[in-house]
Amino acid sequence: MIAALCNEIQMRSPAFFSGEPLTTIYFGGGTPSLLTPEELETILTAVHQNNSTETVEEITLEANPDDITEENLTGWKKAGINRLSIGLQSFREQDLQWMNRAHSVEEGESAIRKAQKFGFTNLTVDLMYGLPDLSQTEWKEHIYKLTDLNVPHISAYCLTVEPKTTLHHLVGTNKIHVPDEDTQAEQFELLIQTLREKGYEHYEISNFCLPGQYAKHNSNYWKNRKYLGIGPSAHSYDGENRFWNPANNTRYIQSVQSGKHTPEKEHLSPENRFNELLLTGLRTIWGVDLQQLSDTLPLTDAFRTEMEHFIQAGDLQLSGNTIRLTQQGKLKADYIASALFV
């Protein structure tokens, strides 16, 4: 697998970026912290050899708390990793158990402290709300634990119950009770209010940071910039086309080894690109530039009428040529975006 990843980097990145300098590198989409530091270093060497990387500011590794050992931290630093994304999820043991997480609450907290001690001050931690039987008081305590630990970036996601999962079965048999939508919305509002009081900026629907601590890599997605995905199931985007690799590991490796690796490709129509600009832009504090939208596809009377409706309702605000969600609008971001879709 490591050889295939390095081969794909060599085959695709020079042509994809055409000499443009990279700004971020991200190891994610699975459990990359299971790789040894030496394996990560091998992959990064391939990236450096086949790209202009002098301007790279951020190299992120998604890491499970139980993989954050002193040995790994030393190796990650040596390899060039300068940012960790830690999948903590919850500060309640019962949640970690039904999620089948390998770490305990104590190990989660210890992982953050350990990473900071080794100089990884650029951290982001994942938390979930809308969890079974999670009270408002407990949720607020979870948020405070992260702010007390001086975590500069927090990603918070609402639990979704996917069909045909263990959680779906537990909910269906009344063994677990998930909060209703109103309670989830209250927890989201409590999250926003608590983090604002602690000096965090709510710069994307699910993401909060201390001043200037934006996730540079993820911001590229939200700002509609090109990106290259390497590995099984990885997706790429060049501004007009989307590409994706085989999901099956064996098929992926065989495809790369054959020397004829050609990802699946979809050309995005102006309508697709218009809708994606809306969906991603509205989620952020930067909002959506109406000029950029109209360059993709002329704005129709129906669009302007719908937009005006949301402005009058207090869900959107127009500033210059940019539309942004209001605090009220953030509670129904996906609905507003879909109503404005062409």
Side-chain angles (χ1 to χ4, degrees):
M1 176 62 77
I2 303 297
L5 293 172
C6 292
N7 285 343
E8 189 187 6
I9 290 166
Q10 185 177 7
M11 289 165 62
R12 294 185 65 202
S13 57
F16 191 88
F17 291 112
S18 305
E20 290 177 51
L22 301 191
T23 56
T24 61
I25 302 166
Y26 194 100
F27 288 92
T31 315
S33 57
L34 288 177
L35 293 168
T36 66
E38 291 74 26
E39 288 167 335
L40 287 166
E41 199 164 359
T42 298
I43 297 166
L44 277 169
T45 298
V47 175
H48 291 306
Q49 287 175 344
N50 292 280
N51 295 278
S52 172
T53 57
E54 296 82 5
T55 54
V56 168
E57 299 175 80
E58 185 185 88
I59 304 179
T60 306
L61 174 74
E62 287 186 358
N64 281 342
D66 41 303
D67 291 328
I68 298 178
T69 63
E70 292 190 2
E71 184 183 357
N72 278 341
L73 287 164
T74 303
W76 294 341
K77 204 157 198 186
K78 179 175 175 286
I81 307 294
N82 60 16
R83 182 173 183 267
L84 294 180
S85 174
I86 304 175
L88 208 70
Q89 314 309 352
S90 176
F91 284 106
R92 293 194 309 176
E93 295 293 353
Q94 68 259 42
D95 294 328
L96 300 177
Q97 286 166 10
W98 66 254
M99 288 181 200
N100 291 318
R101 304 294 292 176
H103 69 279
S104 66
V105 169
E106 187 182 342
E107 286 168 334
E109 289 187 48
S110 171
I112 294 172
R113 289 195 176 93
K114 223 179 280 180
Q116 290 170 328
K117 180 185 166 187
F118 271 74
F120 285 95
T121 52
N122 194 357
L123 288 175
T124 180
V125 174
D126 289 352
L127 264 190
M128 295 184 76
Y129 60 95
L131 297 175
D133 304 312
L134 178 68
S135 70
Q136 301 293 73
T137 303
E138 285 175 311
W139 174 228
K140 196 165 190 175
E141 285 171 359
H142 288 198
I143 302 165
Y144 279 150
K145 279 199 175 183
L146 286 189
T147 59
D148 289 347
L149 285 163
N150 293 317
V151 173
H153 190 285
I154 297 168
S155 296
Y157 303 99
C158 186
L159 176 71
T160 53
V161 182
E162 299 289 351
K164 299 179 182 176
T165 59
T166 303
L167 178 61
H168 187 258
H169 174 72
L170 291 171
V171 171
T173 53
N174 287 321
K175 290 178 181 171
I176 276 182
H177 300 95
V178 177
D180 59 26
E181 284 188 9
D182 286 343
T183 304
Q184 291 174 348
E186 285 168 12
Q187 290 182 356
F188 180 57
E189 289 181 298
L190 179 61
L191 169 75
I192 296 169
Q193 177 190 333
T194 306
L195 288 179
R196 186 194 293 127
E197 289 168 1
K198 290 288 185 177
Y200 286 74
E201 189 171 3
H202 187 196
Y203 76 101
E204 195 272 344
I205 288 292
S206 302
N207 289 273
F208 304 78
C209 70
L210 291 174
Q213 298 287 305
Y214 305 125
K216 292 182 174 69
H217 183 85
N218 290 19
S219 295
N220 287 333
Y221 298 140
W222 303 321
K223 291 179 178 179
N224 202 47
R225 292 173 181 158
K226 65 157 65 172
Y227 55 87
L228 174 63
I230 299 292
S233 294
H235 282 58
S236 307
Y237 173 66
D238 67 2
E240 293 187 355
N241 304 286
R242 198 170 302 293
F243 309 84
W244 60 95
N245 285 342
N248 179 278
N249 286 358
T250 305
R251 274 186 54 221
Y252 165 75
I253 292 170
Q254 289 172 345
S255 169
V256 174
Q257 284 176 339
S258 71
K260 300 173 183 174
H261 175 59
T262 308
E264 295 283 322
K265 177 181 175 180
E266 175 195 11
H267 180 70
L268 298 178
S269 66
E271 289 80 8
N272 289 144
R273 284 188 281 129
F274 184 97
N275 292 344
E276 287 200 12
L277 279 170
L278 263 175
L279 186 65
T280 55
L282 277 181
R283 292 180 62 90
T284 72
I285 56 166
W286 303 293
V288 179
D289 183 340
L290 293 178
Q291 185 58 55
Q292 189 181 8
L293 265 188
S294 64
D295 288 345
T296 308
L297 208 64
L299 303 183
T300 63
D301 290 341
F303 173 89
R304 292 184 184 280
T305 301
E306 198 69 52
M307 181 180 76
E308 190 56 38
H309 162 74
F310 285 120
I311 292 171
Q312 293 302 320
D315 296 322
L316 279 179
Q317 60 181 25
L318 178 63
S319 175
N321 214 31
T322 301
I323 51 170
R324 294 181 182 87
L325 292 174
T326 62
Q327 194 65 35
Q328 171 184 307
K330 288 175 183 175
L331 292 169
K332 39 188 172 178
D334 289 346
Y335 166 72
I336 293 168
S338 61
L340 293 169
F341 281 172
V342 293

